Amino acid sequence: MVARLFFLSICLPFLLTSCQQSKKTVEFVDYVNPLMGTESTFAFSHGNTYPAVAVPWGMNFWSPQTGENGSGWMYTYADSLMRGFRQTHQPSPWMNDYGTFSIMPLAGELKMSHKERLVPFSHQQEKATPYNYSVTFDNGLQTSLSATSRGAVFEVSFPEKEDQYVVVDAYHGGSSITIEPENRLVKGATRYNNGGVPDNFANYFMMEFSHPVIEYGTYNGDTLLHHQTDVAADYTCAYLKFDVPAGEKLTIRTASSFISPEQAELNLKELGNHTFDQLVSNGKAVWNREMSKIEIEDDNIDNLRTFYSCLYRSMLFPRSFYEIDAKGQVMHYSPYNGKVLPGYMFTDTGFWDTFRCLFPFLNLMYPSMNMKMQEGLVNTYKESGFLPEWASPGHRDCMVGNNSASVVTDAYIKGLRGYDIEVP
């Protein structure tokens, strides 16, 4: 008996330490499944969502694209072919997208059109989180991406003994692309939209590449021109060819602005000097910080996954539609009058189905963020003469009533201040 007690007294601390070390610490964001709700069609919805890589209330989201350009169902779980990785601002398939462009790495044959640029993949080789999406195509090409509010970084691993390409697709509706091969840069503008924009609307983008460009060209929807650096048309694409040594990864750093090309270059600095892994870690930390304000306990892990996946969706919209200029001032391009003005602006929400719970929820759990949103509503009224009912990015004129008035009222009676409530 004494020997047994002695054995337990010696071994028990080691057993407890072993159990503690083997128990994995689950963070809140680990419960999130961005693929939830993506198995939808025009005829029947299971959520009408897409796997958005973003930060909470970010300006730009990124998503894998399986549908054709212009389709509101940009990513459908039942699909097995990928067309690109798309910067998106889409709040729902019914409202569709605006100011979007895509990046698609290719191995082997170069294909420019989004209707032909299809690469097989399987969900077994796909990983989706709010802060990182990665996939390995059936041909062995691997792509991973992470995002900040206005920027994103890609890492691409090409299969050996295959030609290496990246296609930049600036969509239809009027776009332009300029390649600076000596600087490893691409600059462009996309004017794609589905309404709610002034005549001077554009999303200016730029991207830089880690390796030398050995070949390049442009495409206007009909003609592919090799060694052409500029293209402007209704629909534009560009390609860049690389020769990345085996064992190395091509890094693509990109950002965009609704204000100007110069602001897009400034927004690229949002990425700093962080490595890809650091940006992934930073993104995860941001999501955990915001999600940690609500801690749910449940023995059923599916309930936890459902809750935090829905919380993730609740912290995507309304979208930030403001930028920080060179002087550190908050500025925005107005989707109502086309001017660049000071102050906050938010968009991409239909108040008719968010005034009941989303905005009251923000008042309670994220009041400092909702205070900025209230200033954005004030600016919307000043710039258009109306409070929005469906903003994407400007007035979409598709909903009756005055539901946003209750959003303003609820915020004020809950004590939110710091914005001009006495708008004439």
Side-chain angles (χ1 to χ4, degrees):
M1 184 69 180
V2 174
R4 285 183 183 177
L5 290 174
F6 177 77
F7 175 81
L8 287 174
S9 66
I10 295 297
C11 294
L12 187 58
F14 293 98
L15 291 172
L16 290 174
T17 301
S18 176
C19 291
Q20 290 170 352
Q21 290 176 342
S22 64
K23 184 179 179 180
K24 181 182 177 182
T25 301
V26 178
E27 299 181 86
F28 298 104
V29 73
D30 294 334
Y31 292 116
V32 177
N33 178 14
L35 299 176
M36 185 180 293
T38 62
E39 194 169 7
S40 301
T41 65
F42 180 86
F44 192 81
S45 167
H46 282 97
N48 287 339
T49 63
Y50 54 87
V53 178
V55 295
W57 305 289
M59 189 177 87
N60 302 323
F61 304 163
W62 285 87
S63 173
Q65 178 184 340
T66 63
E68 290 189 5
N69 288 7
S71 171
W73 284 263
M74 76 176 84
Y75 177 96
T76 303
Y77 193 80
D79 291 340
S80 60
L81 299 170
M82 192 81 72
R83 301 174 194 266
F85 301 92
R86 171 170 158 184
Q87 187 197 91
T88 177
H89 309 94
Q90 179 173 294
S92 80
W94 312 112
M95 304 307 290
N96 215 300
D97 215 336
Y98 62 88
T100 188
F101 64 95
S102 68
I103 297 171
M104 183 57 171
L106 295 173
E109 185 179 359
L110 174 64
K111 294 183 179 180
M112 299 299 292
S113 171
H114 67 95
K115 294 185 178 182
E116 301 175 353
R117 196 175 59 239
L118 299 164
V119 181
F121 77 102
S122 67
H123 296 298
Q124 287 72 28
Q125 298 298 320
E126 176 186 44
K127 180 182 178 181
T129 71
Y131 51 88
N132 176 226
Y133 176 88
S134 62
V135 64
T136 301
F137 297 139
D138 290 358
N139 62 11
L141 190 153
Q142 196 273 340
T143 301
S144 186
L145 71 95
S146 188
T148 61
S149 180
R150 301 167 188 88
V153 177
F154 290 70
E155 275 195 346
V156 183
S157 297
F158 292 98
E160 294 185 26
K161 299 179 181 179
E162 295 280 2
D163 288 337
Q164 306 169 1
Y165 298 99
V166 171
V167 175
V168 180
D169 190 328
Y171 277 58
H172 58 276
S175 56
S176 61
I177 299 177
T178 298
I179 307 169
E180 297 181 11
E182 67 282 0
N183 297 322
R184 308 178 186 179
L185 291 176
V186 168
K187 299 179 181 179
T190 172
R191 292 174 171 79
Y192 175 78
N193 69 86
N194 286 275
V197 300
D199 292 338
N200 66 345
F201 169 81
N203 184 22
Y204 305 96
F205 61 85
M206 70 174 299
M207 57 192 72
E208 57 183 24
F209 301 85
S210 61
H211 287 69
V213 180
I214 63 173
E215 187 184 312
Y216 53 89
T218 63
Y219 178 70
N220 64 5
D222 296 312
T223 306
L224 174 59
L225 296 175
H226 299 284
H227 308 293
Q228 182 81 16
T229 58
D230 296 275
V231 60
D234 178 67
Y235 173 55
T236 64
C237 292
Y239 82 88
L240 300 93
K241 187 176 182 181
F242 300 91
D243 186 15
V244 180
E248 295 185 17
K249 296 180 181 180
L250 175 69
T251 301
I252 309 170
R253 300 166 74 85
T254 183
S256 70
S257 168
F258 293 102
I259 292 176
S260 68
E262 295 76 18
Q263 183 67 40
E265 186 172 359
L266 186 62
N267 289 346
L268 190 64
K269 296 180 180 180
E270 185 177 273
L271 301 172
N273 296 320
H274 296 302
T275 66
F276 180 82
D277 291 339
Q278 287 172 332
L279 287 171
V280 170
S281 179
N282 291 345
K284 183 175 183 178
V286 171
W287 280 105
N288 271 323
R289 182 190 69 208
E290 299 300 337
M291 288 185 166
S292 66
K293 296 178 181 179
I294 304 176
E295 183 174 353
I296 300 296
E297 294 182 358
D298 198 306
D299 293 334
N300 187 334
I301 193 171
D302 288 337
N303 291 339
L304 295 173
R305 289 168 176 165
T306 297
F307 177 85
Y308 285 103
S309 295
C310 291
L311 182 59
Y312 149 74
R313 296 286 171 189
S314 298
M315 290 194 291
L316 291 175
F317 301 102
R319 171 194 316 285
S320 295
F321 203 74
Y322 65 89
E323 304 172 49
I324 311 299
D325 70 7
K327 297 180 181 179
Q329 298 173 321
V330 176
M331 305 292 291
H332 67 272
Y333 165 81
S334 173
Y336 302 101
N337 61 23
K339 299 178 182 179
V340 177
L341 299 167
Y344 291 103
M345 179 62 63
F346 290 80
T347 189
D348 290 328
T349 188
F351 294 87
W352 70 285
D353 53 4
T354 57
F355 79 95
R356 290 184 179 89
C357 49
L358 175 63
F359 282 97
F361 169 75
L362 294 175
N363 285 329
L364 295 173
M365 300 307 304
Y366 302 97
S368 61
M369 178 56 65
N370 202 25
M371 188 168 67
K372 298 175 183 177
M373 295 175 185
Q374 297 305 312
E375 181 181 329
L377 288 173
V378 170
N379 289 331
T380 296
Y381 182 82
K382 289 179 177 178
E383 294 161 24
S384 70
F386 297 93
L387 286 172
E389 291 309 309
W390 233 121
S392 182
H395 293 304
R396 292 295 289 271
D397 300 325
C398 63
M399 196 57 59
V400 298
N402 195 13
N403 300 295
S404 54
S406 65
V407 173
V408 174
T409 304
D410 186 59
Y412 191 77
I413 63 176
K414 283 189 168 68
L416 269 64
R417 300 292 187 272
Y419 51 93
D420 185 6
I421 195 66
E422 300 291 342
V423 182

